[in-house]
Amino acid sequence: MNRLILLRQLHRQTQRHFICPNGPVVALHRFKSVRAFSTSLVRPAAAPQTATSSGVDTEGTTLKEPPVDPAVAAVIRERAEKPFRMAVVGSGPGGFYTAHRILKHLPHSTVDMFEALPVPHGLVRFGVAPDHPEVKNVMTTFDEVAASPNFTFIGNTRVGTYTTPDSPKADLEISDLYPHYDAILLAYGAHEDRLLGVSREQDLKGVMAARTFVGFYNGLPSEQDLDLALSQTETAIVIGQGNVALDVARILLTPLEELKKTDLTDKMVKVLEKSRVKHVHVIGRRGPLEVAFTSKELREMLQLPDTSFYMDKSLLDSEMELAGKSLERPRKRLMGLLEKGAKESKPDQPKSWTLKFLRSPLGFHGDDQGTLKSIDLGINRLEGEAGSRRAVATGDKESLDCGLAFRSIGYKSVGIHGIPFDNRKGVVSNEEGKVIDADKNIVPGMYVSGWLKHGPIGVIASTMAGAYETAHTIMNDWNGGAPMLNDQAKEIASVTPTLATPEEKDISQRSNPLLDLLRARGHKTVSYQDWKKIEQKEFDLGATVGKPREKLLTVEEMLKVLD
């Protein structure tokens, strides 16, 4: 039977469920929390059976699995005798959490993780706010993954050339990886921001993406040329009402002495020393019930010292009355915080921040030097039932003076050549982490995780849950005999290195066809041991000024540590 047909049949059987090879069929909707989901792991597969097998679901119902095709059974037996080899493109939470599950629950698996920068951890290093060190504790888990002898980190190596214009050629193309792995996991995140689509947003000095600002203050090398003139204005606006928007506002308004205790870069500290920003408007097109930030982020904003908080409390009251008892408990708690914050805020403080609802950006205005001076905002009204309110333009507008504007309406991923990509959604097309093409056909051996899979939504815990789902998909495919990149063990064995011993974790000493290819091109790779040397240098620099670390800001500085 054609293997692609078999794979489609397998996918239909497993759709919306995780099928344990020798256990129950578990429905995804039954999980009430990340903890419950993360503990419901597949058990190691026993010897494959060609006859029908059965299991019992969580409600006691006996479940009959369909007979296994003899050709698939042969593949399953073959795979039981060989290691599963996976390449991961990207080293953020999506990649690490998927690798963690694979290494823990798929016997004899090996993972090679490729990262474009010399340093790993992606969003955790370059996206999490400096004053949220507790969130960065997940790096300890990533270190544990990297300590496995079956894991290899290959940093300073870009895999896959982006499809965007003028993208530099990658060090390796995806096709270079095909012969050496059973599966490739794409987890390279979201590198661009969404545009507002209004006049002057891309040519005025002072209008920028929140993503760019976050990258700048977190030390992302590609954003260190940002010209940030905080000394030229007292008023900034942030367009969008999610967690990133509040991160931006909080960094602008937090007392500098507090930020100096974090891993905020010294370069950003020097910019903030000259800052005149005292007022921040956080703008959204709908109402208070539709905000996307969390209670934690809001509470931090309400606790800023010497800072007043303003919002339209009458709008909150009317929307709460409309929602009535239909409002879910977490959203009700968030609205309670807003109500309390508006009631208890002290007016006329030296600094202030405002939640402006029912406003849509129409365009920016600048002076003769091309510097931002104001923004036009369209005034909206809300229509529709509670829980599905939509913003409708009234035709009225207002102008707001400002010298800085940050658009924070979402990040987006970009495609790489040779991989199906949904440009409208900004994600790699997939079903439960399994890559599909434009015709909904499954691409054997190709998987996706993180923001590249589901878009830039949620927190790290939700990325973890999505990564676990992808890991389950991969394990079910491997244990179930689904087609992979290399179905003939002999072909892949001829180019597969043996598992690394602890002494061989330094990739400069490893024998690997791809590493050999990179060396032949004169390309310098970075191992996880190299990264720990870079990290120790950052720790040492930070200790001299009372900070957790002082991040190195350029690739050249990072690589110089290894000379």
Side-chain angles (χ1 to χ4, degrees):
M1 185 183 296
N2 182 281
R3 288 187 176 181
L4 182 57
I5 295 175
L6 283 172
L7 183 56
R8 289 175 181 167
Q9 291 176 345
L10 177 65
H11 175 73
R12 285 195 294 270
Q13 294 162 9
T14 61
Q15 197 169 33
R16 295 182 66 250
H17 296 77
F18 299 118
I19 298 181
C20 301
N22 298 286
V25 176
V26 184
L28 177 60
H29 65 78
R30 290 179 184 160
F31 297 107
K32 302 298 184 184
S33 67
V34 170
R35 179 178 295 275
F37 174 71
S38 65
T39 56
S40 64
L41 304 172
V42 295
R43 296 192 294 272
Q49 302 175 11
T50 56
T52 58
S53 57
S54 64
V56 180
D57 72 3
T58 53
E59 297 174 355
T61 304
T62 300
L63 302 165
K64 293 291 185 180
E65 296 180 9
V68 178
D69 183 273
V72 175
V75 172
I76 295 173
R77 288 193 297 270
E78 183 181 88
R79 289 178 181 173
E81 304 299 324
K82 59 178 286 228
F84 169 72
R85 294 191 54 81
M86 181 174 76
V88 180
V89 181
S91 66
F96 263 104
Y97 280 125
T98 307
H100 179 238
R101 279 293 178 253
I102 293 295
L103 290 169
K104 184 175 182 180
H105 295 284
L106 197 58
H108 311 302
S109 56
T110 64
V111 173
D112 291 346
M113 179 175 284
F114 295 85
E115 167 58 48
L117 290 170
V119 296
H121 303 159
L123 178 68
V124 177
R125 178 179 171 94
F126 297 119
V128 174
D131 55 348
H132 288 172
E134 72 284 353
V135 180
K136 301 182 183 184
N137 290 337
V138 298
M139 291 192 290
T140 301
T141 299
F142 301 163
D143 285 346
E144 293 171 357
V145 174
S148 167
N150 297 356
F151 177 93
T152 301
F153 176 75
I154 304 174
N156 197 42
T157 304
R158 185 183 301 278
V159 175
T161 299
Y162 295 140
T163 56
T164 50
D166 303 321
S167 293
K169 183 172 175 56
D171 302 305
L172 293 170
E173 297 298 344
I174 287 291
S175 57
D176 292 326
L177 273 55
Y178 289 158
H180 309 296
Y181 300 97
D182 299 293
I184 296 174
L185 174 72
L186 302 169
Y188 56 84
H191 301 285
E192 293 190 352
D193 63 286
R194 298 186 183 279
L195 295 173
L196 299 167
V198 300
S199 62
R200 306 299 303 276
E201 83 171 291
Q202 296 189 72
D203 70 316
L204 283 178
K205 181 180 178 181
V207 182
M208 68 195 74
R211 176 191 60 81
T212 299
F213 181 56
V214 171
F216 177 78
Y217 68 62
N218 272 325
L220 182 62
S222 61
E223 304 296 356
Q224 294 311 301
D225 292 334
L226 178 65
D227 185 5
L228 193 61
L230 300 186
S231 62
Q232 304 301 310
T233 184
E234 292 189 353
T235 303
I237 65 168
V238 187
I239 302 167
Q241 294 182 333
N243 280 343
V244 174
L246 293 198
D247 282 346
V248 170
R250 193 177 65 256
I251 292 296
L252 291 173
L253 296 174
T254 296
L256 185 55
E257 290 307 311
E258 292 299 315
L259 292 176
K260 285 182 176 179
K261 301 173 186 177
T262 73
D263 66 358
L264 186 76
T265 65
D266 183 62
K267 189 172 183 178
M268 183 63 195
V269 168
K270 287 181 168 57
V271 170
L272 287 171
E273 286 176 342
K274 301 176 181 178
S275 175
R276 293 176 51 230
V277 175
K278 296 181 180 180
H279 312 290
V280 180
H281 300 275
V282 182
I283 299 170
R285 62 187 176 86
R286 292 191 290 174
L289 267 65
E290 288 76 39
V291 297
F293 50 73
T294 61
S295 295
K296 177 181 183 296
E297 300 279 346
L298 174 60
R299 191 176 292 110
E300 289 173 334
M301 289 295 296
L302 295 175
Q303 293 171 350
L304 287 172
D306 304 319
T307 305
S308 299
F309 167 57
Y310 302 102
M311 61 165 283
D312 185 347
K313 189 174 180 301
S314 63
L315 177 64
L316 174 62
D317 292 340
S318 63
E319 288 297 292
M320 288 284 286
E321 183 178 356
L322 178 65
K325 295 182 179 180
S326 66
L327 204 61
E328 295 182 356
R329 185 175 299 176
R331 182 64 39 169
K332 190 174 183 179
R333 284 199 299 265
L334 182 61
M335 295 304 105
L337 275 177
L338 274 178
E339 186 176 32
K340 181 179 179 182
K343 181 179 180 180
E344 297 182 354
S345 177
K346 296 179 180 179
D348 303 321
Q349 295 296 300
K351 297 180 180 181
S352 72
W353 74 284
T354 305
L355 280 173
K356 292 184 74 68
F357 302 115
L358 305 180
R359 299 295 187 273
S360 293
L362 300 177
F364 297 96
H365 300 283
D367 60 18
D368 294 340
Q369 287 72 46
T371 300
L372 174 66
K373 287 302 178 184
S374 66
I375 181 174
D376 287 338
L377 297 170
I379 300 175
N380 304 323
R381 67 173 183 271
L382 292 175
E383 294 184 356
E385 300 295 325
S388 59
R389 303 283 272 166
R390 63 185 182 277
V392 178
T394 64
D396 296 329
K397 69 176 184 178
E398 65 183 11
S399 181
L400 182 63
D401 291 338
C402 57
L404 283 170
F406 304 89
R407 58 177 177 268
S408 183
I409 57 171
Y411 297 4
K412 67 176 182 179
S413 300
V414 296
I416 57 178
H417 290 288
I419 300 298
F421 191 78
D422 187 327
N423 286 296
R424 184 178 64 84
K425 295 181 179 179
V427 299
V428 168
S429 306
N430 74 94
E431 292 183 359
E432 297 178 353
K434 196 192 305 279
V435 175
I436 59 175
D437 64 19
D439 296 321
K440 306 296 184 182
N441 296 316
I442 290 167
V443 181
M446 298 298 297
Y447 302 89
V448 62
S449 186
W451 283 5
L452 193 61
K453 171 187 176 183
H454 51 66
I457 55 176
V459 294
I460 290 179
S462 54
T463 296
M464 178 181 70
Y468 290 170
E469 178 189 63
T470 296
H472 278 262
T473 298
I474 294 170
M475 290 185 280
N476 285 335
D477 283 357
W478 179 255
N479 290 328
M484 290 283 180
L485 289 176
N486 293 276
D487 288 326
Q488 296 187 20
K490 292 182 180 179
E491 290 183 5
I492 190 170
S494 65
V495 296
T496 299
T498 57
L499 302 184
T501 65
E503 293 76 18
E504 293 174 326
K505 288 292 285 181
D506 182 354
I507 60 177
S508 66
Q509 308 300 318
R510 294 280 304 279
S511 175
N512 176 300
L514 292 174
L515 289 174
D516 292 343
L517 175 62
L518 292 167
R519 292 188 195 110
R521 295 174 177 174
H523 179 78
K524 182 177 179 60
T525 57
V526 173
S527 69
Y528 210 81
Q529 287 67 32
D530 291 335
W531 147 241
K532 298 306 285 185
K533 295 175 184 177
I534 294 171
E535 185 178 47
Q536 187 58 53
K537 178 66 173 179
E538 293 181 342
F539 289 158
D540 294 343
L541 291 172
T544 63
V545 291
K547 298 170 61 174
R549 74 171 77 212
E550 184 62 61
K551 292 178 181 176
L552 301 177
L553 302 182
T554 68
V555 170
E556 291 74 22
E557 288 179 306
M558 296 170 185
L559 296 180
K560 188 175 180 180
V561 175
L562 307 177
D563 290 342

